[in-house]
Amino acid sequence: MDRRSFIKKAGLGAGGVAAGSVLAAPAIAQGTKEMVIVSTWPRDFPGLGVPAQRLAARIAELTEGRLNVQYFAAGERVGAFDSFDEVASGNAQAYIGADYYWKGKHPGWAAFTAVPFGLTYTEMDAWIKYGGGQELWDELAGEFGLKNLAMGNTGVQMGGWFNKEIETADDLKGLKMRIPGQGGDVMAKLGASPVSLPGGQIYENLVSGAIDATEWVGPFNDYFMKFYEAAKYYYYPGMHEPGAMLALGMNKAFWDGLDKIDQQIIVAACAEENSNTMAETNANNGAYLKRLVDEHGVELREFSDEIYDSFGEAAQEVLEEAMDHSPLSKKIFESVINARQEIGSYMAISDIAYSNKRNRYLGIPG
């Protein structure tokens, strides 16, 4: 099955929702509120678009018709990167996307997707729920008339697809790479030229040579994008998105106008999908990595310590620049740094230490 055929068919059994369709059931009653959701990803997009559709369908199901949910994928109502303004203006009630797309509006938005050398999924989940992250997110989002909730995570991402081997940091110089967020700022400091492209446009730019490299997510998501047709070197681990959190961003006036029960339903649906997306990703990445290597000859490469040290130095500069932006930005990133230290230090002697020792004994490669 080719890439386009897959994207057309993938959502049929996985929460696919037609453009603008009314999802709520039973029949819409008087007093029903409209909830138009716009997405930053194409329809039935593996690993990202499908969970977005799944969340929209779940909200409609659980509210039993009180919310008339209409879902529009990227380009069906507005362009992917126009989603923020569509919701902040009140033209739509919600978007589903990655909040680091909006770092040009305020650098603090990056913290609520991923920070280079930042938080893993487990650490991010702890920070958002119990480390003050949600309160800081509310403060930032409130300045733009929004209310945001976590609705997914992709875990530690791969470092990306490259059309040449990256043996030293100098090999990054002059490279045109699709990499958004602060990860793109890190690459820029190392001499690369970061490019921001919606997911649906990456493949054609990589195949045409308009870009030399791209990051996306991981093997499960990347397999269906067919990046291996243009770039054979697949690098790990990604420093740029160690636990990329996905968001449901709602117009705050819409959110404030909801009954408490419907607010709690949306919170619960987002928490459910946040867990489901991470579980689905973890369940599939290993199998799809094997297919990429065995069936398509992809060459798996690990970034050297020298390259990673260069990433780290550049990431620290990017973080310091973001903190200098404003008092709120400083407060957000100081909270991320504190969570990285406190939660990360325990993870080092628990999950990480256990996995390393288990895998050594069992001979699991890594």
Side-chain angles (χ1 to χ4, degrees), residues 80-95:
F81 293 158
D82 296 320
S83 299
F84 183 101
D85 291 338
E86 183 76 357
V87 175
S89 69
N91 288 334
Q93 284 69 53
Y95 69 77

Side-chain angles (χ1 to χ4, degrees), residues 36 51 77 85 88 99 116 157 169 180-181 189 244 247 263-264 288 298 308 318-319 357 366:
V36 173
R77 180 176 172 115
D85 291 338
D99 274 354
Q157 295 195 0
K189 288 189 177 294
Q263 288 183 346
Q264 289 305 307
Y288 279 94
V298 169
Y308 233 78
V318 168
L319 188 59
K357 289 186 180 297

Side-chain angles (χ1 to χ4, degrees), residues 22 72 87 129 164 205 210 252 275 288 296 314 323:
V22 177
F72 296 89
V87 175
K129 292 176 180 174
K164 68 174 185 176
N205 279 272
K252 194 169 188 304
S275 175
Y288 279 94
H296 300 287
M323 291 174 69

Side-chain angles (χ1 to χ4, degrees), residues 188-206:
K189 288 189 177 294
L190 296 175
S193 298
V195 177
S196 187
L197 291 169
Q201 297 177 20
I202 302 173
Y203 174 84
E204 61 195 60
N205 279 272
L206 190 62

Side-chain angles (χ1 to χ4, degrees), residues 233-316:
Y233 299 106
Y234 199 24
Y235 275 84
Y236 74 94
M239 57 81 196
H240 58 301
E241 296 187 41
M245 185 170 68
L246 314 178
L248 175 73
M250 291 169 286
N251 180 277
K252 194 169 188 304
F254 164 76
W255 169 259
D256 290 343
L258 293 175
D259 293 338
K260 293 297 182 184
I261 184 64
D262 287 335
Q263 288 183 346
Q264 289 305 307
I265 283 173
I266 292 173
V267 169
C270 285
E272 178 184 62
E273 189 54 48
N274 190 54
S275 175
N276 284 345
T277 301
M278 187 72 263
E280 182 179 42
T281 300
N282 283 336
N284 284 284
N285 270 337
Y288 279 94
L289 178 60
K290 189 174 188 302
R291 294 182 68 176
L292 286 168
V293 172
D294 293 349
E295 298 175 12
H296 300 287
V298 169
E299 296 192 27
L300 192 62
R301 294 282 188 272
E302 183 178 3
F303 285 126
S304 69
D305 288 346
E306 180 267 332
I307 293 173
Y308 233 78
D309 288 348
S310 296
F311 287 154
E313 292 169 5
Q316 185 60 32

Side-chain angles (χ1 to χ4, degrees), residues 49-215:
V50 170
Q53 290 160 224
R54 200 159 55 203
L55 175 63
R58 187 66 167 151
I59 292 171
E61 175 188 15
L62 293 176
T63 57
E64 298 182 313
R66 292 186 302 277
L67 290 179
N68 176 26
V69 180
Q70 299 181 66
Y71 177 88
F72 296 89
E76 292 178 353
R77 180 176 172 115
V78 294
F81 293 158
D82 296 320
S83 299
F84 183 101
D85 291 338
E86 183 76 357
V87 175
S89 69
N91 288 334
Q93 284 69 53
Y95 69 77
I96 296 176
D99 274 354
Y100 68 176
Y101 291 149
W102 328 128
K103 77 177 184 68
K105 297 178 182 295
H106 192 292
W109 284 112
F112 301 102
T113 299
V115 172
F117 282 71
L119 307 178
T120 65
Y121 164 72
T122 303
E123 294 163 346
M124 177 73 85
D125 202 41
W127 176 60
I128 288 292
K129 292 176 180 174
Y130 295 102
Q134 183 66 59
E135 290 78 7
L136 289 167
W137 204 4
D138 288 345
E139 185 174 351
L140 174 62
E143 292 191 357
F144 294 86
L146 298 171
K147 165 65 180 180
N148 291 44
L149 297 169
M151 58 71 56
N153 201 293
T154 61
V156 179
Q157 295 195 0
M158 293 291 285
W161 296 85
F162 296 80
N163 60 13
K164 68 174 185 176
E165 291 185 272
I166 306 298
E167 297 180 339
T168 71
D170 285 343
D171 291 329
L172 297 169
K173 292 179 178 177
L175 207 69
K176 297 188 297 294
M177 182 174 184
R178 184 272 179 189
I179 178 168
Q182 290 184 331
D185 297 335
V186 169
M187 285 297 186
K189 288 189 177 294
L190 296 175
S193 298
V195 177
S196 187
L197 291 169
Q201 297 177 20
I202 302 173
Y203 174 84
E204 61 195 60
N205 279 272
L206 190 62
V207 169
S208 71
I211 57 175
D212 305 306
T214 186
E215 63 76 44

